[in-house]
Amino acid sequence: MINDIVYNTAGISDLEKEEIISAYAWDNYKEIFDLALSRHWVKQRYSLANELLEKTLQLAKLKGDTFYANKALNELEIRQKKIYLESRIRTIHVTLTMRCDIKCPFCLYLDRYSSGWEMPSNICDEIIQLFPYLQRCVWQGGEAYLHPRFKEMIRESIRFPNIQHTLITSGAFLNDEWLELFSKIPYFCIMLPVESIKKDTYEELRRGASFERLKRNLALFNSLRSKSQHPLSLSMNIIVMKRNYLELEGILDFAIENKFNFIILTPLYPNGSEFNEKEYLSPDDPEIRSYFSNLMPKLSEKANKNGIYLADRFTGIVRQEPPAKDNQVNYTEFSDKTICLAPWQQLFIEINGEVKNYCHCNYIVGNLNNNSIKDIWNGEMLIKLRRDILNYDYHSCNVICANGTIDKSNLKLT
């Protein structure tokens, strides 16, 4: 069967034929999966890619590999345009608790901390049950470590090496015990906020944090990761505002000195608060755009030379205004290439149990105070969203996703 499809596929090279036949001969389903997506689907050899995915699913089931079986099934269901899915969630972003040990004046959740919401224990159990299927898990709060079951959940996840973890944290709690636990996981990234390398400014923006403690923890982090079986990754998120945009070159030097792997520049979103309105820096302001047009090539070149991946979500993200009542945003003009796969692959658990598919989504697909993750995954709201997207109807979507501003790597898995 595979020989017929391979030899009848137009434009396929002899080397590509040999790759497939060899992978089949050795039942190498992981390589077959990679060939399906990275090689043949992108070259629009759809029949061949689907056959390779079917083979991956078959072999993964025979080998008892739940992760790859789910991965292949999910990709097949996407290509079959299914809206009710048998495949399970592949990425989950978990807000565990509203408890936090610092109070940032620009925090989007600041007005909601008083709710005291915390992930219910039964939902924690459901997340643990998803571990065999997960490709990525992002943890945040508040501070995730303040949830009474966080450590238990991390320990349980060690049995599932396919999960790539990211912990969004101020890092104040980091010590030898926590870092040694994280280093038992094949891929664990700690994302720290660093809006300034001036002590007073840093501590004003991250109220309750200590710049000296940040430096000590970074030294501890780098000391331990050099000895770890699985070296930890370090990411820096910088919220760009009037207070700090002239510091970015110095912050990059600080990142190089402390061996960060990633830097993300994000905008300060205007939310009506006095602080955010005062500090908001518009990436559309001609003077600001001119400044960043000169700055970013230099930052990017220096970051690349030092092995740091720099993601610029500041100059690439425009300020979003609330949708006009007269629908002045013409969604029908968006290209079908902007299709987002998040509703087929991931969930984002917000504060107070609200669930959506991605952090920028406007559309709420359920609430964990009323429903289980399983119920939401194939619930009425999410099925409707999948159907809308298949019909190129983005009225439920955030403009910055639908118009292509958000990098597509954030809206799909491979």
Side-chain angles (χ1 to χ4, degrees):
M1 176 69 174
I2 188 60
N3 286 346
D4 292 341
I5 294 176
V6 167
Y7 286 104
N8 289 328
T9 298
I12 190 169
S13 69
D14 289 340
L15 177 60
E16 289 172 326
K17 294 173 185 175
E18 290 175 11
E19 286 176 334
I20 295 172
I21 292 170
S22 174
Y24 265 62
W26 290 97
D27 288 345
N28 190 341
Y29 58 90
K30 296 179 182 180
E31 184 177 350
I32 293 171
F33 179 89
D34 290 340
L35 289 172
L37 294 190
S38 64
R39 185 73 58 82
H40 300 292
W41 187 265
V42 296
K43 292 185 177 181
Q44 299 182 358
R45 299 166 182 161
Y46 301 132
S47 295
L48 176 56
N50 283 328
E51 173 64 26
L52 296 177
L53 288 172
E54 292 280 6
K55 188 65 175 180
T56 302
L57 178 59
Q58 176 193 353
L59 290 173
K61 283 182 174 180
L62 285 173
K63 300 283 186 178
D65 191 330
T66 302
F67 174 77
Y68 262 90
N70 185 68
K71 201 174 179 182
L73 176 59
N74 181 252
E75 295 292 343
L76 282 166
E77 289 183 324
I78 289 169
R79 282 149 184 78
Q80 293 162 0
K81 300 186 176 181
K82 297 281 185 73
I83 57 173
Y84 185 94
L85 305 182
E86 293 182 28
S87 58
R88 308 291 284 273
I89 299 159
R90 291 170 60 188
T91 284
I92 194 163
H93 190 130
V94 183
T95 305
L96 276 177
T97 177
M98 280 291 86
R99 288 196 285 163
C100 194
D101 48 17
I102 63 173
K103 294 291 182 287
C104 308
F106 46 83
C107 180
L108 293 173
Y109 304 147
L110 198 58
D111 62 337
R112 297 192 242 179
Y113 276 121
S114 59
S115 71
W117 186 84
E118 200 159 73
M119 181 75 70
S121 188
N122 65 304
I123 301 300
C124 293
D125 291 334
E126 197 173 3
I127 291 170
I128 290 172
Q129 291 166 11
L130 288 171
F131 283 168
Y133 309 96
L134 290 181
Q135 185 170 337
R136 188 183 303 160
C137 186
V138 181
W139 307 91
Q140 72 167 63
E143 278 286 357
Y145 84 95
L146 291 173
H147 192 283
R149 295 194 62 183
F150 176 62
K151 185 176 285 189
E152 171 201 346
M153 295 172 80
I154 292 296
R155 283 178 175 150
E156 181 65 21
S157 75
I158 294 171
R159 299 196 297 116
F160 304 98
N162 291 304
I163 306 175
Q164 297 181 0
H165 294 262
T166 297
L167 172 63
I168 301 173
T169 174
S170 71
F173 77 101
L174 295 174
N175 56 29
D176 295 56
E177 180 186 356
W178 278 107
L179 291 173
E180 286 174 6
L181 175 61
F182 297 151
S183 69
K184 293 178 181 179
I185 293 170
Y187 182 89
F188 199 101
C189 179
I190 294 176
M191 179 180 287
L192 301 174
V194 183
E195 276 74 38
S196 177
I197 55 171
K198 297 174 182 176
K199 181 179 185 298
D200 290 346
T201 305
Y202 173 85
E203 293 177 1
E204 182 181 353
L205 294 175
R206 297 288 172 179
R207 295 170 186 171
S210 161
F211 189 66
E212 292 305 316
R213 183 168 55 192
L214 171 68
K215 292 195 292 184
R216 288 197 303 271
N217 283 349
L218 285 171
L220 174 64
F221 181 95
N222 283 309
S223 172
L224 286 176
R225 75 170 169 176
S226 64
K227 307 169 189 174
S228 300
Q229 178 184 356
H230 303 296
L232 297 164
S233 292
L234 194 56
S235 178
M236 178 188 293
N237 187 66
I238 307 170
I239 298 178
V240 181
M241 61 186 88
K242 290 178 181 176
R243 187 83 58 97
N244 68 354
Y245 78 98
L246 296 176
E247 276 195 69
L248 292 178
E249 290 184 86
I251 296 175
L252 173 58
D253 290 336
F254 180 82
I256 293 169
E257 177 186 348
N258 288 283
K259 300 177 182 174
F260 279 78
N261 305 98
F262 310 94
I263 294 176
I264 303 171
L265 303 183
T266 58
L268 177 70
Y269 293 103
N271 63 357
S273 72
E274 182 180 350
F275 181 92
N276 285 31
E277 292 301 320
K278 179 182 176 182
E279 289 291 340
Y280 176 67
L281 190 72
S282 172
D284 297 321
D285 182 286
E287 290 187 16
I288 297 301
R289 186 156 290 278
S290 175
Y291 176 81
F292 275 88
S293 294
N294 292 323
L295 176 66
M296 289 312 301
K298 292 188 290 184
L299 290 184
S300 182
E301 181 181 4
K302 191 170 188 178
N304 286 337
K305 283 183 179 178
N306 288 277
I308 295 175
Y309 175 78
L310 175 61
D312 174 20
R313 297 180 186 172
F314 174 70
T315 57
I317 297 182
V318 298
R319 176 173 181 170
Q320 182 183 350
E321 304 292 349
K325 292 182 180 179
D326 60 357
N327 283 330
Q328 75 178 44
V329 179
N330 187 359
Y331 289 87
T332 60
E333 293 181 357
F334 294 142
S335 165
D336 59 4
K337 293 181 181 178
T338 64
I339 282 184
C340 167
L341 298 185
W344 284 265
Q345 297 181 324
Q346 55 186 304
L347 288 181
F348 187 107
I349 301 174
E350 263 275 22
I351 59 172
N352 298 332
E354 288 183 343
V355 181
K356 48 191 182 179
N357 290 110
Y358 179 61
C359 62
H360 287 294
C361 290
N362 299 323
Y363 186 78
I364 305 299
V365 297
N367 192 300
L368 293 176
N369 295 311
N370 307 315
N371 304 103
S372 68
I373 294 174
K374 182 180 179 181
D375 290 339
I376 291 171
W377 185 236
N378 277 308
E380 180 182 344
M381 300 295 285
L382 195 38
I383 285 177
K384 178 185 181 301
L385 181 59
R386 291 172 186 145
R387 183 184 292 113
D388 287 348
I389 289 178
L390 288 174
N391 291 325
Y392 311 131
D393 178 353
Y394 301 111
H395 281 81
S396 299
C397 297
N398 189 320
V399 176
I400 62 174
C401 295
N403 68 10
T405 300
I406 293 292
D407 188 291
K408 297 302 180 292
S409 63
N410 293 293
L411 306 179
K412 66 177 182 178
L413 293 171
T414 56

